[in-house]
Amino acid sequence: MAAVVFLYFRSLHVNPTTVGFSLLLVVLLVSAAWGLRYALFTAVLATLAYNYFFLPPLFHFTIVDPQNWIALFAFLVTAVVGSQLSERARRGTQHADQRRHEVERLYSFSQELWISENVFELLNIIPKHIVDSFQVSGAALFLEGKQQAYYFDETSRSRFSIEQLKAISDRGEPVLDRGNRICYMPLRMGVRSVGALGLSGCDLSRESLEAIGSLAAIAIERANTVEKLTRSEAARESDRLRSVLLDSVTHEFRTPLTAIKASAETLLSDVELEKPQRRDLLAVINEESDRLNRLVGEAAEVVQLDSGQLQFQFATHNIREAIDAAIQKLQPALRTHSVDVSIPATLPAVRMDVERITEVLVHLLDNAAKYSPPETPIHVTVEARGSEVLTSVADHGPGVDEMEQEMIFEKFYRGRNQRMLIQGTGMGLAIAKAIVELHGGKMDVTSQLGRGSLFYFSLPTTPPPSAS
């Protein structure tokens, strides 16, 4: 302002109107930059300078012409009103910016809440998310359903007692102590209060606090609902699995039990049997008992896989160990088939549970023997591909169409054209695939109808020891 007065008084000789508008512009700029208090002070100084230097008589705080009184009064009123309007606009801009920042923080806060679907984890991280998102110094969360409080840190624990938070939840109304920057907000779902929130170092608006409370309440209710639905779905799936497993195993038990019962009754009867006949009946009992034992083992293994209780003993082995063991176990089933094994001499070792991988190969070889015509060969091929060892079992069976290839590894699924002709429970391939995936590998099938199928699985190779 002093520069304007000096410029107009010493250098530029302009009329009082021009001076008045220039000083008024200075007052508005001061109001916009520093606020109403400084603008009012500048307006008074500008009025005195306008009177002293530009309104006759000069260099006196008196005015002779009444019109100049009107001009001076109009200048003062305009400066004050303009300052107030400018201050109001400035405050409105600041408020809008504050609300925009709060909305952005609310959005970020809501995104953080939707990540977790575990109630216990969510309740522990809500106070931390509030502190991180809204730059408050402490936070505490109380939940009616659990009658328990969750805190951001030990300072928050000492500042917000469970009794205070419970009282806010029961009351259902916020308490805002702006002097101490302490805010209490109930967590409401509609008209129902499900808990309370306590914040320290809080300068948030009531609207933002209500939004935080609503978001937290919705997230908690959502996590509760998802957890209940998950448990319900798991229980329903467990019941379905138990029912299907029982039906499948019960059906498959009948054939071996019938054979064992008939053979035992024949042996116990008074019919005179020759030694070869007795040996044949005993062989039937032995084979069908093994089959029953395998069925029980598969059923128990499916349950263990679903519950994550299957134990593995990992060690470094050559895949040939598992292939030889599987062929040895399946000698009776493979007696009408030749097994052609192709394994490179320089094959790298793999980290595996050799008994479990043997079981995988038993399922694949047994299926190949079941679905292939007698006297047709079964091909077992192993090759190294990058950081994996790929093992494949090929047969000359009827093949699997493309639609069934997507379902063949599902538990209890059996080919629609073979389920009445070939015995089985539909558990073998599902077990085999689960075991391979728990080894970090993959299993799949390629097939042509009328030509046969090729089942293959990969296992990660064991990295060679580094040179010392």
Side-chain angles (χ1 to χ4, degrees), residues 355-422:
E355 291 187 6
R356 299 297 182 189
I357 297 301
T358 299
E359 183 182 352
V360 170
L361 288 160
V362 165
H363 287 303
L364 296 182
L365 289 169
D366 189 39
N367 274 359
K370 282 181 182 178
Y371 291 96
S372 297
E375 309 305 327
T376 57
I378 297 171
H379 306 278
V380 179
T381 305
V382 184
E383 58 181 312
R385 288 191 180 180
S387 60
E388 296 179 331
V389 169
L390 189 70
T391 305
S392 59
V393 177
D395 61 47
H396 294 273
V400 183
D401 65 36
E402 290 186 9
M403 185 174 66
E404 285 192 305
Q405 288 178 28
E406 298 178 1
M407 300 181 289
I408 200 166
F409 294 103
E410 297 291 330
K411 288 188 285 288
F412 310 114
Y413 180 82
R414 303 186 63 217
R416 62 177 181 269
N417 296 327
Q418 304 294 327
R419 64 186 64 176
M420 302 305 296
L421 303 176
I422 305 296

Side-chain angles (χ1 to χ4, degrees), residues 239-459:
D239 289 341
R240 186 195 69 81
L241 179 62
R242 192 179 296 111
S243 176
V244 173
L245 178 61
L246 184 61
D247 290 344
S248 177
V249 171
T250 301
H251 175 75
E252 288 301 315
F253 273 4
R254 288 173 181 165
T255 301
L257 282 174
T258 300
I260 292 171
K261 178 70 173 175
S263 299
E265 286 180 347
T266 303
L267 290 170
L268 292 171
S269 66
D270 296 331
V271 178
E272 293 292 334
L273 297 174
E274 297 181 2
K275 191 173 182 179
Q277 292 176 316
R278 293 175 61 84
R279 185 181 296 108
D280 289 341
L281 290 174
L282 290 171
V284 169
I285 293 174
N286 184 57
E287 289 179 9
E288 296 301 327
S289 297
D290 289 341
R291 183 179 169 193
L292 279 175
N293 186 54
R294 187 169 67 253
L295 287 172
V296 173
E298 287 180 356
E301 200 164 11
V302 166
V303 174
Q304 288 177 326
L305 284 168
D306 284 340
S307 61
Q309 296 177 350
L310 197 63
Q311 300 296 319
F312 289 84
Q313 300 294 328
F314 288 101
T316 301
H317 295 276
N318 192 297
I319 193 68
R320 177 180 284 278
E321 297 178 42
I323 294 173
D324 291 343
I327 293 174
Q328 184 64 34
K329 282 187 176 183
L330 283 175
Q331 283 296 331
L334 295 173
R335 58 178 175 263
T336 61
H337 298 275
S338 62
V339 181
D340 179 21
V341 180
S342 175
I343 302 177
T346 59
L347 194 70
V350 294
R351 183 174 177 271
M352 64 179 179
D353 183 325
V354 68
E355 291 187 6
R356 299 297 182 189
I357 297 301
T358 299
E359 183 182 352
V360 170
L361 288 160
V362 165
H363 287 303
L364 296 182
L365 289 169
D366 189 39
N367 274 359
K370 282 181 182 178
Y371 291 96
S372 297
E375 309 305 327
T376 57
I378 297 171
H379 306 278
V380 179
T381 305
V382 184
E383 58 181 312
R385 288 191 180 180
S387 60
E388 296 179 331
V389 169
L390 189 70
T391 305
S392 59
V393 177
D395 61 47
H396 294 273
V400 183
D401 65 36
E402 290 186 9
M403 185 174 66
E404 285 192 305
Q405 288 178 28
E406 298 178 1
M407 300 181 289
I408 200 166
F409 294 103
E410 297 291 330
K411 288 188 285 288
F412 310 114
Y413 180 82
R414 303 186 63 217
R416 62 177 181 269
N417 296 327
Q418 304 294 327
R419 64 186 64 176
M420 302 305 296
L421 303 176
I422 305 296
Q423 295 176 346
T425 61
M427 292 186 290
L429 288 178
I431 292 172
K433 185 174 183 180
I435 290 173
V436 169
E437 289 177 347
L438 289 171
H439 277 72
K442 296 179 181 179
M443 175 177 283
D444 210 339
V445 60
T446 60
S447 183
Q448 282 185 306
L449 290 176
R451 301 285 299 274
S453 301
L454 185 144
F455 288 86
Y456 57 93
F457 64 91
S458 62
L459 295 174

